[in-house]
Amino acid sequence: MSLLLVASTKLRSRRGLLASFVSCVGLSCLSLGSLAAGCSGEAGSTTPGASAATGAASPRDVELLHVSYDPTRELFEAVNERFVARERAENVNVTIRMSHGGSGRQARAILDGLEADVASLALAWDIDALAREGQLVPADWATRSPNRSSPWYSTIVFVVRRGNPKGIHDWGDLLRGDTQVITPNPRTSGGARWTYLALWGWALRQEGGSEATAETALRELYRRVPVLDSGARGASTTFTRNQIGDVLLTWENEAHLLLAENPDAGLEIITPTVSILAEPPITVVDANADRHQVRDVADAYVRFMYDDEAQEIAARHHFRPRSEAVAARHRGELPELTLFTVEDVAQGWAAAQERHFADGALFDRISEGRSEAPR
Amino acid sequence: MADARHDGLRERPRGAGWAVAITSLCLLALLVLAPLVVVLVEAFAEGAGTFLDAITDEDTVSALGLTLLVVAIVVPFHTVFGVAAAWLLTRQDFRGKALLGTLIDLPFTVSPVVSGLLFVLLFGARGWLGPWLRDHDVRVVYAVPGVVIATLFVTLPFVVRELVPTMEAIGRDEEEAAASLGASGWQILWRVTLPRVRWALFYGCVLCGARAAGEFGAVSVVSGHVRGETSTLPLHVEILWGEYHTAAAFAVASMLAASGLVTLVLRGLLERRVRASKARSSSAAHASAALALETSISSVPSKGALS
């Protein structure tokens, strides 16, 4: 095309131009055609009936789209590999596509048409949204698998700089002196909601603790946050690479991964005496899995998360496994601490949403105060 | 623009001029050159092996393929659309012409993220067309078509905005001369107009292609970030970065930087051509149009040649 364009004589350059235009238009038709072919191919691969019907000998091809939240990338990469191997033994070729992002944003994307067959989000409230706003899962989705559909759990811990110069050991220490705290925005980040409720719960459980003192504690905390990132990974980057803040509040698994990935950054993990029981749930998205006719494989995938093989992988990725056997093997790797639940401190997610995270609720009022506070 | 070729207007920098020149060069080095160097250094920070692994990784290749597909659709589309729209804007008078010009500039003024959201609101499952698309088993957002449409939108003005000034500078004289000689509309387009604007057109295409390959905001909203399926190169860089694969992220970023450099070189070469063709047009247009008229057997007078 460019060769044609640099043709020297006027006549030839005219023809060259013509040819280049024709080739451009041709190219666009071609690419549109291949796009259409790509789409139909995609549709073909998600309808497993064809290959399944041809007989037991030829393997069935299944593609699952698993939409997850941010700090699970490494975990599910490892889990998927095992699940794919296991299904191959049963003559099913599974391809698992992953999409990661902030939990709330991912829930929105699924509601807006990201056709997830399986969703694992940071908190039950975001999956409740799939039931409430899109009827994509039944309202009782959480009861379909053990432990409120959370195959493992985690909690919120602190990451501090080497030697813990600010002497941070528990939640109360965050609110002292000129400590700067890094935590993402609870409006967009699931981990940040757990963090928010962890501090709330800690404050309620203090001697003389009440909703008023807990509110003061929250105000005091968010006054110290210089950057409200939109997700856990963004906050990790702010803390580690940009060297902002004295303490990072994040998922326990994310904290361990952060240390492993940045061995030279001089970071230490501090586990507080109490924290919140953070349960990231996983579920089949019924509407999509049924439509794609992959329900059986999607169900098997979710069940596999409770298998000791997956539990072992989760434990290695610093989640706390539910399986007694696996938990026993990894005892001592993660410190013991008292964990309270969302039900204990906020009467569940629906109440927490209304009281804390809805428009004009407590977090909004706190962040208004935050922007007005003198820096 | 055309005045710049009069050497009398150009002066060698003196005093304050030097200060301004040095300051802007330093700023340029800091804002453009330094990041480029950082990208390359970081890309090879873990050795050439990591670099090669990163750019030959299955997901990277898939992201590259999607990016090239998007460019291969967007650029030809805007070539045709750009010529048509520029012709309308410079050669036709009609009601709503100003509106057309404004609409074409819209993507420049709307934040790409917002335009991405508009497509989600339009084509999303809960959007206006969502239920209909769902019933007909068509996926737009969170699939490749959504990525293409969002990119088409944000790259809309590039070719048109490059063509319009050139076509205005050339004027209608030659086209009217050709028409008076009995040339048809298509003949005029192929033989008179396009040869004169080809460098501007090509330049517009280069800019459009560069933006299509590098677009992040709008694509990020409509892509759904499905690895190996709806991730373009810029989105893949973000994914790798988020997974702490820093060297890999920079390796993929260096691919984008390289394509950016090619664009810059092309741009430098083309800009000269465009300027030359504009300059030629102002002086040569009248002469050639008059010449064309002289040899014309048609008696229809051309307004441009008479004035």
Side-chain angles (χ1 to χ4, degrees):
Chain A
M1 186 175 121
S2 50
L3 253 180
L4 289 167
L5 272 171
V6 293
S8 52
T9 70
K10 213 171 180 183
L11 185 75
R12 270 169 66 200
S13 80
R14 276 180 197 154
R15 282 202 185 145
L17 197 72
L18 188 82
S20 72
F21 264 84
V22 171
S23 64
C24 277
V25 174
L27 197 67
S28 98
C29 292
L30 249 174
S31 38
L32 279 173
S34 66
L35 182 69
C39 288
S40 59
E42 220 168 79
S45 63
T46 49
T47 43
S51 52
T54 53
S58 62
R60 173 184 166 197
D61 289 316
V62 175
E63 192 173 298
L64 288 184
L65 175 57
H66 178 178
V67 174
S68 189
Y69 62 110
D70 242 342
T72 57
R73 302 168 197 239
E74 295 75 15
L75 166 69
F76 284 123
E77 199 180 325
V79 169
N80 291 352
E81 197 181 304
R82 295 307 310 147
F83 180 72
V84 168
R86 186 176 271 217
E87 287 294 297
R88 193 170 295 132
E90 310 217 335
N91 213 24
V92 182
N93 269 335
V94 187
T95 311
I96 301 171
R97 300 255 179 232
M98 294 300 306
S99 166
H100 293 276
S103 184
R105 194 178 78 167
Q106 294 292 73
R108 233 210 111 99
I110 296 173
L111 282 167
D112 280 330
L114 181 58
E115 296 189 7
D117 302 298
V118 174
S120 57
L121 298 176
L123 39 86
W125 177 253
D126 284 333
I127 296 185
D128 284 339
L130 302 183
R132 203 176 48 247
E133 290 174 36
Q135 285 86 46
L136 301 175
V137 295
D140 65 344
W141 64 269
T143 61
R144 294 190 294 188
S145 299
N147 301 109
R148 292 164 294 279
S149 287
S150 305
W152 39 73
Y153 61 102
S154 188
T155 187
I156 300 296
V157 299
F158 310 156
V159 181
V160 297
R161 309 213 180 271
R162 195 195 309 278
N164 195 2
K166 298 273 177 174
I168 294 162
H169 300 287
D170 211 342
W171 294 94
D173 303 328
L174 299 174
L175 315 175
R176 280 202 324 245
D178 59 349
T179 308
Q180 280 205 324
V181 181
I182 301 295
T183 177
N185 190 338
R187 273 205 212 85
T188 51
S189 159
R193 290 192 181 199
W194 290 113
T195 306
Y196 175 108
L197 291 175
L199 181 78
W200 173 263
W202 167 83
L204 285 182
R205 292 161 63 100
Q206 296 309 295
E207 216 166 292
S210 67
E211 296 216 341
T213 61
E215 193 177 320
T216 311
L218 282 171
R219 269 182 209 284
E220 191 60 31
L221 180 83
Y222 283 96
R223 199 174 62 78
R224 296 158 181 279
V225 180
V227 194
L228 269 180
D229 285 287
S230 68
R233 277 292 150 92
S236 300
T237 310
T238 300
F239 186 71
T240 317
R241 285 190 178 273
N242 306 353
Q243 293 283 319
I244 297 176
D246 302 304
V247 53
L248 168 73
L249 311 186
T250 191
W251 296 93
E252 187 173 47
N253 58 292
E254 176 74 2
H256 282 273
L257 183 67
L258 190 64
L259 260 67
E261 293 287 342
N262 300 279
D264 308 324
L267 302 173
E268 289 176 19
I269 295 176
I270 303 289
T271 307
T273 53
V274 294
S275 193
I276 197 157
L277 173 72
E279 295 182 309
I282 182 167
T283 182
V284 171
V285 183
D286 302 56
N288 293 333
D290 288 341
R291 227 163 80 89
H292 301 151
Q293 296 172 280
V294 294
R295 178 59 183 260
D296 53 338
V297 183
D299 276 336
Y301 181 63
V302 171
R303 266 199 312 277
F304 179 66
M305 301 301 159
Y306 291 86
D307 191 286
D308 274 1
E309 201 175 355
Q311 294 278 309
E312 174 67 34
I313 296 171
R316 280 193 209 136
H317 284 83
H318 314 289
F319 286 86
R320 295 178 180 237
R322 296 282 191 190
S323 155
E324 294 290 339
V326 177
R329 263 206 299 281
H330 291 271
R331 187 148 295 138
E333 288 174 18
L334 297 175
E336 302 283 333
L337 73 165
T338 312
L339 297 174
F340 49 80
T341 67
V342 180
E343 280 69 28
D344 294 342
V345 298
Q347 290 80 50
W349 279 111
Q353 177 70 18
E354 196 184 323
R355 173 90 173 83
H356 298 282
F357 305 119
D359 286 341
L362 187 56
F363 179 70
D364 268 4
R365 297 205 299 277
I366 286 173
S367 32
E368 272 163 32
R370 180 177 170 266
S371 56
E372 285 159 16
R375 304 256 94 221
Chain B
M1 197 84 178
D3 287 352
R5 75 203 155 88
H6 297 301
D7 287 336
L9 290 180
R10 282 197 186 155
E11 284 176 37
R12 293 213 154 268
R14 280 191 308 249
W18 276 114
V20 172
I22 289 169
T23 315
S24 50
L25 276 178
C26 287
L27 272 177
L28 200 70
L30 192 72
L31 293 176
V32 181
L33 216 58
L36 261 181
V37 172
V38 168
V39 166
L40 281 179
V41 168
E42 290 277 346
F44 286 97
E46 289 175 22
T50 312
F51 180 85
L52 278 179
D53 285 348
I55 62 171
T56 53
D57 177 75
E58 202 184 316
D59 290 332
T60 308
V61 172
S62 144
L64 177 67
L66 179 60
T67 300
L68 290 178
L69 175 74
V70 168
V71 172
I73 294 171
V74 167
V75 170
F77 180 93
H78 280 318
T79 308
V80 176
F81 171 83
V83 170
W87 180 75
L88 278 174
L89 286 176
T90 58
R91 299 294 186 260
Q92 300 290 313
D93 284 314
F94 56 93
R95 275 181 147 205
K97 186 168 151 177
L99 185 70
L100 178 68
T102 312
L103 281 180
I104 285 173
D105 281 344
L106 192 68
F108 272 161
T109 53
V110 175
S111 154
V113 175
V114 174
S115 57
L117 283 174
L118 291 181
F119 287 113
V120 171
L121 289 178
L122 192 60
F123 297 114
R126 295 183 295 179
W128 287 8
L129 302 174
W132 186 87
L133 290 169
R134 200 182 183 78
D135 291 342
H136 293 77
D137 218 16
V138 179
R139 279 163 64 195
V140 177
V141 285
Y142 308 121
V144 177
V147 175
V148 173
I149 292 172
T151 314
L152 275 177
F153 179 80
V154 294
T155 53
L156 189 70
F158 285 93
V159 177
V160 186
R161 283 299 149 211
E162 204 49 50
L163 280 181
V164 163
T166 313
M167 283 175 74
E168 268 169 357
I170 290 171
R172 300 184 181 187
D173 299 356
E174 289 187 14
E175 289 161 14
E176 282 170 359
S180 70
L181 289 166
S184 71
W186 279 114
Q187 280 175 316
I188 295 175
L189 180 68
W190 287 119
R191 301 251 171 123
V192 181
T193 312
L194 285 182
R196 295 299 298 277
V197 299
R198 64 182 189 272
W199 294 114
L201 177 60
F202 196 46
Y203 180 33
C205 288
V206 167
L207 290 185
C208 171
R211 178 64 188 268
E215 174 56 29
F216 179 83
V219 168
S220 170
V221 176
V222 298
S223 116
H225 301 264
V226 184
R227 275 188 92 135
E229 203 171 291
T230 64
S231 262
T232 60
L233 278 184
L235 299 186
H236 193 56
V237 172
E238 194 213 17
I239 287 180
L240 289 172
W241 172 260
E243 288 172 2
Y244 300 116
H245 298 312
T246 311
F250 277 107
V252 178
S254 73
M255 292 165 80
L256 279 170
S259 82
L261 279 180
V262 171
T263 311
L264 272 181
V265 171
L266 275 177
R267 189 189 150 134
L269 291 175
L270 288 170
E271 215 163 33
R272 229 182 291 162
R273 293 272 194 168
V274 173
R275 210 178 294 149
S277 76
K278 261 189 215 161
R280 217 187 312 129
S281 69
S282 49
S283 57
H286 291 92
S288 65
L291 191 75
L293 257 194
E294 252 171 52
T295 56
S296 161
I297 48 160
S298 164
S299 59
V300 182
S302 156
K303 203 173 89 191
L306 288 177
S307 62

